[in-house]
Amino acid sequence: MRTIVFKGGTVIDGTGSPPSLGNVLISGSTIERVGVFEAPVDAEVIDCHGLAVTPGFIDSHSHLDLQVLENRRDKLAQGVTAEVVGNCGFSPYPVPADRSLLYDFANGLFCGGTDWGWPSAKGYLEQAARSTTTTVFSLVGHGSLRIARVGHQLGQLTERDVDWMEQKLSESLEEGACGFSTGLMYSPGASAPFAELERLCRVVARHQKTYATHMRGYGDLLVEAVDEQLQLARRTGCRLQISHLQAVGPRNWNKQAVALEKIENAVAAGLDVAFDCYPYVAGSTVLTQLLPQWALESGIKGLLAKLADGAERKRIAAETDVNLEQGWTNILISALETPANRGLIGQTIAAIASSRGREPVEVAIDLIQEEQGRVNMLEMNQSEANLRQTLTHPLSCIISDGFYVKGRPHPRLYGTFPLLLGEISRERGWLTLAAAVHKITEKPARRFSLPQRGRLEPSYFADVVVFDPGTVNSPASYETPALQPRGIRHVFRNGIAILSQGVPCSSVAN
Ligand SMILES: [Zn+2]
């Protein structure tokens, strides 16, 4: 068993307490000692003078459900040692008999092929446990659950269908899924009535797990959406985590303070509610999210059939335009598949519209047709003042929400954690280093009940990051996202080095 001392560093233990100079001793996969002590003579020593020593970072809102199985380097290079996947209603299980239904639903975020899918959490978690780079925790996705039972059917389901979903959810939670997620801006989850969500949240509460939600709206409907989720938590007693809280579009920026006040009042009244946010003003998702979600009844195939009908297309275009919260100049194409359109990556819909001589909404719909629905976008959504307010709020965890696309991914996939420690904490001074570390270690571990992770404390897993607080940062930009972070020196997961002297260990990572 290897005994290693991280010696003489600034220890930031994950709890939010002020840093202190000291050592961290790990033995095998466990932390043995933290503080000021003589290093045992037979221990290997990693000199940490001038460096910060922290728990491994936890990305509690990841969409790398499939990529965590491939031991990719992009997360470990940032110091991430554990991830919560299955967010926003998308999980790679339960898989329906007709697998194409699930692929059609989830591949826009999963960036997957046609070779995945598990019957329940058990099979997925078993495979994920073999990852050499990260420890995987998974939420059961509401959209996936619904698709497994009724495909792309919308609206209220029969009693028997909801019974089945309750049963399936309960089974996956028993098998080790850490909670449940909804994606109420994605079809078919968006069509679920409150009563269905209430029944499923009761199952979550019974298992004492976490319910994470991509709410029904973040712009015009932000306040109503928060009310609905608080109502669910109040009626069912489940622990609620509101995903990527923000106010989308200038006309809604003032609503964020209202939403936060509602959440604070709910906490004061005894509800177990918190939220998370990523440290960027831009968001990213599939372009079809801008459409009215009824248009996605019967999935992408159904959508393309509707768009081929002149009258239907007109109706969809009109609704899309009215409901658009952030403006066409703020929406950039980040990924698509046909070679002829590759040059559009990085351009705004407004710019493409003026070069094609078409209305922006028509261009968006043209692209969805040309790409058979497979288009991703980057949206400049938020104000910097609002971002500062959520990042520094005592109830927030900080997350990546990152995912791969066939094109140019959002830089949050490559830079979230070093950016938080560098630009946000050190350079802008929005929060102390100890507070920033807390929001990516102990805080998410508590929200999702991840046992023995998120703190430098004896008996905890030896997930350790060593970084240079003077240089840590991410150079990843919207134009050039796939850049390696700076200043991350060593990363250990379960006592095994996965990044050493700034370089991912080739024995563990692809
Ligand atoms: Zn989401």
Side-chain angles (χ1 to χ4, degrees):
M1 205 154 55
R2 274 177 88 184
T3 302
I4 302 167
V5 183
F6 299 89
K7 196 174 172 191
T10 301
V11 176
I12 303 174
D13 68 4
T15 63
S17 348
S20 62
L21 281 179
N23 304 329
V24 176
L25 176 74
I26 67 171
S27 181
S29 61
T30 313
I31 297 171
E32 293 280 329
R33 238 179 131 177
V34 181
V36 179
F37 53 86
E38 240 0 276
V41 283
D42 56 345
E44 288 173 54
V45 173
I46 294 179
D47 181 11
C48 296
H49 285 94
L51 303 175
V53 184
T54 72
F57 306 148
I58 297 169
D59 187 357
S60 59
H61 190 107
S62 161
H63 287 293
L64 306 191
D65 301 58
L66 301 181
Q67 291 79 20
V68 291
L69 309 173
E70 299 167 356
N71 304 316
R72 300 245 190 147
R73 297 166 172 230
D74 301 311
K75 282 290 183 69
L76 77 86
Q78 298 176 60
V80 173
T81 55
E83 298 188 45
V84 178
V85 298
N87 281 287
C88 303
F90 299 87
S91 60
Y93 60 86
V95 69
D98 177 1
R99 291 173 168 245
S100 69
L101 293 171
L102 187 57
Y103 300 151
D104 192 17
F105 168 64
N107 270 344
L109 290 187
F110 282 0
C111 200
T114 52
D115 52 355
W116 56 270
W118 290 266
S120 67
K122 185 164 182 278
Y124 173 71
L125 289 171
E126 275 170 9
Q127 186 155 344
R130 285 180 229 140
S131 168
T132 50
T133 53
T134 190
T135 305
V136 179
F137 299 90
S138 173
L139 304 165
V140 184
H142 170 245
S144 300
L145 196 58
R146 224 171 187 270
I147 292 237
R149 179 66 182 180
V150 298
H152 293 293
Q153 184 189 321
L154 302 191
Q156 189 172 342
L157 303 180
T158 66
E159 197 65 15
R160 280 189 58 202
D161 290 336
V162 182
D163 287 347
W164 182 91
M165 287 168 69
E166 281 182 331
Q167 182 53 40
K168 244 354 206 184
L169 172 59
S170 185
E171 181 187 313
S172 277
L173 294 175
E174 266 158 40
E175 291 171 356
C178 67
F180 172 59
S181 77
T182 53
L184 302 176
M185 285 174 69
Y186 298 99
S187 185
S191 75
F194 183 86
E196 174 184 321
L197 302 178
E198 186 177 349
R199 283 183 57 184
L200 296 168
C201 284
R202 282 194 199 288
V203 176
V204 180
R206 200 169 70 230
H207 287 268
Q208 299 186 313
K209 301 223 171 173
T210 304
Y211 165 51
T213 180
H214 179 141
M215 304 186 294
R216 279 193 208 278
Y218 287 82
D220 298 347
L221 293 175
L222 175 66
V223 174
E224 293 82 351
V226 167
D227 278 336
E228 181 188 37
Q229 297 306 320
L230 293 176
Q231 181 71 351
L232 273 173
R234 202 173 289 123
R235 291 180 61 154
T236 66
C238 71
R239 179 191 296 162
L240 170 65
Q241 183 76 6
I242 295 176
S243 298
H244 41 63
L245 185 69
Q246 58 185 294
V248 170
R251 72 189 187 206
N252 297 308
W253 285 347
N254 62 347
K255 291 180 182 159
Q256 181 170 291
V258 181
L260 283 173
E261 197 185 333
K262 283 179 179 279
I263 295 168
E264 289 159 9
N265 290 342
V267 170
L271 296 193
D272 189 354
V273 186
F275 63 90
D276 47 54
C277 48
Y278 44 79
Y280 296 86
V281 292
S284 178
T285 185
V286 287
L287 189 61
T288 51
Q289 196 184 76
L290 299 178
L291 307 182
Q293 292 297 299
W294 58 258
L296 282 124
E297 181 173 25
S298 332
I300 297 292
K301 268 193 220 119
L303 171 67
L304 295 173
K306 285 192 187 74
L307 293 178
D309 173 317
E312 285 282 73
R313 181 186 167 115
K314 226 172 162 179
R315 197 175 141 215
I316 291 170
E319 271 194 46
T320 302
D321 235 356
V322 174
N323 293 329
L324 191 76
E325 289 152 342
Q326 58 278 74
W328 295 110
T329 51
N330 292 317
I331 297 173
L332 288 85
I333 298 301
S334 66
L336 37 68
E337 293 189 12
T338 62
N341 283 335
R342 283 279 156 75
L344 303 179
I345 292 176
Q347 292 193 42
T348 67
I349 301 265
I352 302 168
S354 73
S355 71
R356 288 188 174 183
R358 298 226 344 123
E359 284 302 311
V361 68
E362 297 298 338
V363 165
I365 291 176
D366 292 346
L367 285 173
I368 286 168
Q369 286 182 304
E370 289 161 23
E371 300 293 330
Q372 305 279 298
R374 290 188 281 269
V375 196
N376 292 81
M377 62 177 171
L378 217 129
E379 321 152 84
M380 298 299 169
N381 280 339
Q382 285 203 71
S383 79
E384 195 145 299
N386 275 2
L387 181 66
R388 180 173 184 166
Q389 192 180 28
T390 52
L391 289 176
T392 57
H393 195 282
L395 292 172
S396 69
C397 294
I398 296 171
I399 56 159
S400 80
D401 197 9
F403 55 92
Y404 291 91
V405 296
K406 291 172 180 145
R408 199 184 283 172
H410 190 298
R412 64 194 181 186
L413 174 63
Y414 303 94
T416 293
F417 300 87
L419 184 87
L420 170 69
L421 304 170
E423 185 172 326
I424 306 281
S425 171
R426 181 187 63 239
E427 288 174 13
R428 297 196 201 174
W430 285 4
L431 66 181
T432 65
L433 200 53
V437 168
H438 176 61
K439 286 171 178 288
I440 52 175
T441 55
E442 189 193 37
K443 186 125 201 170
R446 287 225 176 141
R447 292 307 296 160
F448 291 90
S449 303
L450 314 183
Q452 310 296 103
R453 298 197 191 264
R455 272 168 87 154
L456 293 177
E457 188 172 303
S459 89
Y460 271 54
F461 285 102
D463 293 352
V464 182
V465 177
V466 179
F467 65 87
D468 181 345
T471 62
V472 66
N473 216 339
S474 166
S477 64
Y478 296 112
E479 295 73 31
T480 316
L483 296 175
Q484 167 119 4
R486 285 192 287 265
I488 308 282
R489 295 287 181 80
H490 299 279
V491 182
F492 282 71
R493 185 185 75 102
N494 294 341
I496 295 168
I498 55 175
L499 181 133
S500 183
Q501 303 292 355
V503 181
C505 301
S506 52
S507 54
V508 295
N510 284 323

